[in-house]
């Protein structure tokens, strides 16, 4: 804790900068995917499901002490690896922080292709959903 | 006659390129096939020498263009051995052709409670148009099941065909599994009860010789782009006795005889079903693709693709944990598989990095995936320009990716 979203993104970019070959990069992504924890089966609800054409993502968000905690999962490991990075960047942040920061690291580490709408892996919708959680919790807080 | 694959490959300029630093090996032919230079040139020639709106034109270019369009129709006619060229309707593709039949045949012949029969292995294009009719007219859609190998189970077909059955609509070849369905059997048994049959030939015409008269099917539909032709063009063959009795699909130019606000009379076949300016350059390209396939010979293509299929199955089956979907005895050059519990998306993403283009996912056949209880498969589908060396690369790639996820 203590790091800003910007700093975490920089940290991720730094981590990925050591890979000069796509195979190593994807191996690392697979590792992150395999290690991603925190998603309990109770969250595997249709209401948490983001249906991609190729793969599926589940995302659940909760507000605790003014901060949003995300847990997420995917049936495809590469997607799950990216999901893990997205959660790492935004988990435990206030709604305002989440809404103020753009997720630039995905492009910087060369995974932008996975966020193109045509990949239909659920990731684009997942980012949108993470922001919607922030918007909803923000509205709730101020009401 | 044997065919010279290296010579054929040179006809396809797109094949000669690097993807992610690796030579492209394209195994997504069931989605769309690449175009030989001959097809590209034919389309180019339309626009550089005789482009003009067809029919009803009195000037020279219009006549040349009309002739080229109608020549293409005759090429399609001969290609599937249709009795008459006016039984060949140009459409945007297989999907539009099926929608045309669902709409026009449905409008003219289907009432609430009438049944249309499809199968479990259909592409969404041969499911959803009928579901729309379920909603619109209250028809009933019935589904022929498949066995684990991906073959249609026809034991109960005669019970399936009831007095309320008005149409059977099945794929000639499954896009996801490669199964070649026994359509002649289905057609004969349906006809024994005077039920017409539509065949979705999108995956078939590029792999085997289709003779609509020998089959005696009532409708046969296919796309240009899967048979080395351009996208946006396809053909619908229908027996004229049906087409004449069917309502038009869309209204507009070309499909009319006379128009007045008191009433409009429709043009004769095939124009009745071709509203608006048709895709004549696409039709010419499709005609060129048919010429191309004819020059190589469909039987040569079929024999070579079967060789690739056997080789691919043999080599891939050595990969630990590989599970094949679609192991029918009669099968086209499509291999659908999953390795262990590796998600098809993961496999496809990594193979892409190796320059290997496969299709992953449900292949627009979700009911089929539900039958196997899987999210999708990895599908490698071969065309005449694929080689055993490419298959070796695919096998090596699948092995390498499998280790990565192990």
């Amino acid at each position: 804790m203590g790091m800003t979203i910007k700093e975490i993104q920089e940290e991720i970019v730094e981590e990925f900068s050591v890979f000069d070959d796509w195979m190593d990069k994807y191996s690392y992504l697979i590792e992150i995917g395999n290690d991603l924890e925190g998603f309990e089966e109770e969250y595997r609800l249709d209401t948490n499901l983001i249906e991609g054409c190729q793969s599926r993502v589940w995302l659940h968000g909760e507000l605790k002490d003014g901060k949003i905690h995300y847990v997420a999962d995917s049936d495809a490991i590469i997607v799950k690896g990216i999901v893990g990075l997205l959660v790492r960047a935004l988990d435990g942040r206030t709604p305002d922080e989440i809404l103020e920061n753009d997720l630039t690291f995905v492009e910087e580490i060369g995974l932008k292709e996975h966020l193109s709408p045509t990949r239909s892996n659920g990731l684009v919708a997942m980012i949108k959903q993470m922001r919607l959680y922030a918007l909803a919790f923000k509205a709730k807080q101020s009401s | 006659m044997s065919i010279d694959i290296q010579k054929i490959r040179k006809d396809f300029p797109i094949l000669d390129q690097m993807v992610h630093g690796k030579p492209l090996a394209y195994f997504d032919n069931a989605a769309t096939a690449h175009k030989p230079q001959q097809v590209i040139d034919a389309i180019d020639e339309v626009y550089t020498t005789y482009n003009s709106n067809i029919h009803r034109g009195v000037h020279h270019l219009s006549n040349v263009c009309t002739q080229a369009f109608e020549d293409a129709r005759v090429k399609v006619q001969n290609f599937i051995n249709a009795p008459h060229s006016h039984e060949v309707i140009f459409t945007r593709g297989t999907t539009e052709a099926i929608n045309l039949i669902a709409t026009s045949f449905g409008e003219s012949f289907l009432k609430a409670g009438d049944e249309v029969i499809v199968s479990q292995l259909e592409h969404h294009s041969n499911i959803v148009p009928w579901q729309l009719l379920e909603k619109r007219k209250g028809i009933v859609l019935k589904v022929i099941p498949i066995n684990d190998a991906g073959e249609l189970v026809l034991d109960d077909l005669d019970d399936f065909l009831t007095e309320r059955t008005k149409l059977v609509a099945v794929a000639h070849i499954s896009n996801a599994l490669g199964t070649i369905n026994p359509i002649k059997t289905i057609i004969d048994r349906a006809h024994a009860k005077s039920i017409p049959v539509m065949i979705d030939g999108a995956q078939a015409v590029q792999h085997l010789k289709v003779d609509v008269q020998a089959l005696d099917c009532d409708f046969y539909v296919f796309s240009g782009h899967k048979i080395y032709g351009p996208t946006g063009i396809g053909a619908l063959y229908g027996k004229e006795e049906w087409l004449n009795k069917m309502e038009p699909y869309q209204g507009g130019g070309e499909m009319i005889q006379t128009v007045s606000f008191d009433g409009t009379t429709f043009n004769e076949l095939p124009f009745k079903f071709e509203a608006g300016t048709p895709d004549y350059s696409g039709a010419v390209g499709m005609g060129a693709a048919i010429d191309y396939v004819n020059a190589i010979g469909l039987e040569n293509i079929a024999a070579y693709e079967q060789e690739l299929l056997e080789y691919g199955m043999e080599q891939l089956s050595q990969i630990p944990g590989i599970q094949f979907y679609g192991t029918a005895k009669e099968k086209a050059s499509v291999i659908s598989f999953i390795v262990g519990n590796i998600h098809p998306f993961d496999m496809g993403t990594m193979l892409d990095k190796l320059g290997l283009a496969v299709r992953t996912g449900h292949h627009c056949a979700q009911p089929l995936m539900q039958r196997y209880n899987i999210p999708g498969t990895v599908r490698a589908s071969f065309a005449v320009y694929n080689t055993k060396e490419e298959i070796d690369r695919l096998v090596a790639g699948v092995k390498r990716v499998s280790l990565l996820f192990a």
Side-chain angles (χ1 to χ4, degrees):
Chain A
M1 274 304 152
M3 288 171 88
T4 63
I5 292 178
K6 188 167 173 283
E7 283 164 350
I8 292 181
Q9 295 204 70
E10 283 164 5
E11 188 184 68
I12 293 171
V13 172
E14 176 74 26
E15 277 170 27
F16 274 80
S17 68
V18 303
F19 306 125
D20 43 15
D21 143 291
W22 66 270
M23 200 57 150
D24 294 338
K25 189 158 77 185
Y26 276 83
S27 299
Y28 184 51
L29 214 49
I30 290 164
E31 202 181 302
I32 297 170
N34 281 327
D35 292 347
L36 183 65
E37 289 174 347
F39 191 87
E40 307 292 336
E41 282 310 303
E42 61 185 284
Y43 299 131
R44 204 177 299 283
L45 307 168
D46 282 351
T47 47
N48 286 336
L49 175 64
I50 299 162
E51 187 89 50
C53 190
Q54 292 273 346
S55 55
R56 307 201 288 175
V57 171
W58 289 266
L59 173 71
H60 177 74
E62 266 174 24
L63 189 69
K64 236 182 254 166
D65 304 326
K67 289 171 177 168
I68 302 180
H69 294 274
Y70 294 106
V71 283
D73 193 15
S74 174
D75 55 353
I77 294 295
I78 291 172
V79 176
K80 197 172 166 185
I82 300 173
V83 161
L85 292 173
L86 294 170
V87 168
R88 183 171 146 198
L90 298 184
D91 182 49
R93 305 286 145 188
T94 64
D96 278 332
E97 280 179 282
I98 290 163
L99 293 170
E100 282 160 13
N101 282 277
D102 280 333
L103 292 169
T104 51
F105 77 91
V106 184
E107 183 170 358
E108 285 178 53
I109 62 178
L111 295 175
K112 196 177 172 222
E113 59 180 286
H114 293 291
L115 292 188
S116 111
T118 60
R119 299 294 288 203
S120 25
N121 50 22
L123 284 170
V124 176
M126 171 174 166
I127 294 174
K128 201 173 155 197
Q129 194 61 33
M130 289 176 105
R131 289 180 174 280
L132 281 176
Y133 268 116
L135 270 176
F137 286 134
K138 188 183 171 175
K140 214 169 159 188
Q141 280 174 323
S142 58
S143 67
Chain B
M1 177 191 125
S2 70
I3 46 180
D4 182 348
I5 299 306
Q6 288 314 317
K7 186 167 167 286
I8 287 173
R9 286 183 69 84
K10 288 203 175 67
D11 290 333
F12 293 83
I14 203 171
L15 295 177
D16 184 23
Q17 67 171 298
M18 305 292 272
V19 169
H20 303 305
K22 306 275 188 336
L24 166 69
Y26 183 82
F27 299 113
D28 196 17
N29 297 288
T32 198
H34 291 311
K35 326 304 171 198
Q37 192 62 49
Q38 290 86 334
V39 168
I40 298 167
D41 287 346
I43 297 166
D44 191 64
E45 195 192 0
V46 174
Y47 290 118
T48 51
T49 65
Y50 60 85
N51 174 59
S52 208
N53 208 333
I54 58 166
H55 299 299
R56 299 168 202 258
V58 293
H59 60 83
H60 173 73
L61 291 188
S62 179
N63 287 333
V64 174
C65 203
T66 302
Q67 192 58 52
F69 180 64
E70 291 306 324
D71 285 350
R73 196 189 306 276
V74 172
K75 285 177 188 181
V76 173
Q77 176 204 349
N78 293 333
F79 183 60
I80 56 172
N81 193 31
H84 309 290
S85 67
H86 61 254
E87 294 176 310
V88 174
I89 315 290
F90 282 117
T91 65
R92 283 193 295 135
T94 305
T95 299
E96 189 183 52
I98 297 173
N99 276 281
L100 187 160
I101 295 168
T103 304
S104 296
F105 183 90
E107 197 52 50
S108 302
F109 299 110
L110 298 182
K111 298 186 298 291
D114 285 345
E115 299 161 355
V116 171
I117 294 181
V118 296
S119 87
Q120 180 95 45
L121 52 65
E122 300 307 319
H123 188 281
H124 294 164
S125 291
N126 192 30
I127 297 174
V128 183
W130 307 112
Q131 288 179 326
L132 292 174
L133 267 188
E134 277 188 301
K135 273 195 177 163
R136 215 158 57 220
K137 304 205 82 171
I139 67 150
V140 178
L141 196 56
K142 297 203 321 193
V143 184
I144 301 172
I146 57 168
N147 62 22
D148 288 342
E151 297 164 313
L152 298 186
V153 178
L154 298 177
D155 303 347
D156 301 325
L157 182 62
D158 289 327
D159 297 333
F160 253 77
L161 303 167
T162 73
E163 283 171 1
R164 296 307 305 264
T165 308
K166 293 292 159 66
L167 185 72
V168 178
V170 289
H172 195 164
I173 294 180
S174 156
N175 71 310
L177 306 179
T179 310
I180 303 175
N181 292 325
I183 54 167
K184 184 60 183 155
T185 306
I186 296 171
I187 293 164
D188 288 348
R189 281 161 75 177
H191 282 182
K193 296 187 172 183
S194 304
I195 299 163
V197 180
M198 183 213 89
I199 303 296
D200 169 0
Q203 297 292 337
V205 289
Q206 62 275 48
H207 298 303
L208 46 86
K209 182 72 196 152
V210 170
D211 181 333
V212 294
Q213 291 189 67
L215 287 170
D216 197 28
C217 54
D218 301 273
F219 302 98
Y220 195 99
V221 297
F222 61 100
S223 298
H225 72 99
K226 292 188 203 284
I227 183 166
Y228 313 107
T231 56
I233 189 79
L236 181 166
Y237 157 78
K239 286 181 179 170
E240 66 175 332
E241 58 194 270
W242 287 114
L243 295 176
N244 275 328
K245 283 187 265 184
M246 281 158 55
E247 290 291 315
Y249 175 49
Q250 293 174 329
E254 193 63 46
M255 54 76 72
I256 50 87
Q257 193 75 263
T258 58
V259 177
S260 80
F261 286 110
D262 297 324
T264 291
T265 55
F266 303 124
N267 204 341
E268 59 192 11
L269 293 175
F271 312 114
K272 171 181 158 188
F273 290 106
E274 292 178 353
T277 298
D279 182 4
Y280 48 82
S281 65
V284 168
M286 187 172 174
I290 287 172
D291 288 342
Y292 184 80
V293 164
N294 284 340
I296 300 173
L298 257 178
E299 54 297 336
N300 294 319
I301 293 173
Y304 178 65
E305 287 176 345
Q306 281 297 316
E307 212 178 297
L308 291 179
L309 173 66
E310 277 169 39
Y311 184 74
M313 287 294 282
E314 189 185 290
Q315 296 300 311
L316 282 168
S317 60
Q318 290 166 18
I319 292 169
I322 197 164
Q323 169 84 38
F324 294 104
Y325 293 88
T327 49
K329 282 186 227 56
E330 299 291 327
K331 198 169 137 75
S333 53
V334 172
I335 302 180
S336 234
F337 63 92
I338 295 179
V339 180
N341 54 7
I342 302 172
H343 195 285
F345 177 85
D346 290 327
M347 178 64 79
T349 300
M350 301 307 276
L351 291 178
D352 173 57
K353 298 288 176 197
L354 296 165
L356 306 164
V358 295
R359 178 117 331 215
T360 63
H362 52 62
H363 316 297
C364 291
Q366 285 179 345
L368 178 60
M369 299 297 126
Q370 287 152 14
R371 160 69 173 74
Y372 288 113
N373 196 25
I374 49 175
T377 69
V378 181
R379 183 187 69 186
S381 50
F382 309 133
V384 67
Y385 43 66
N386 285 120
T387 65
K388 289 186 182 170
E389 290 71 32
E390 287 180 317
I391 293 176
D392 289 340
R393 280 181 57 205
L394 175 69
V395 174
V398 173
K399 278 184 187 158
R400 187 171 169 195
V401 175
S402 303
L403 289 175
L404 203 62
F405 285 93

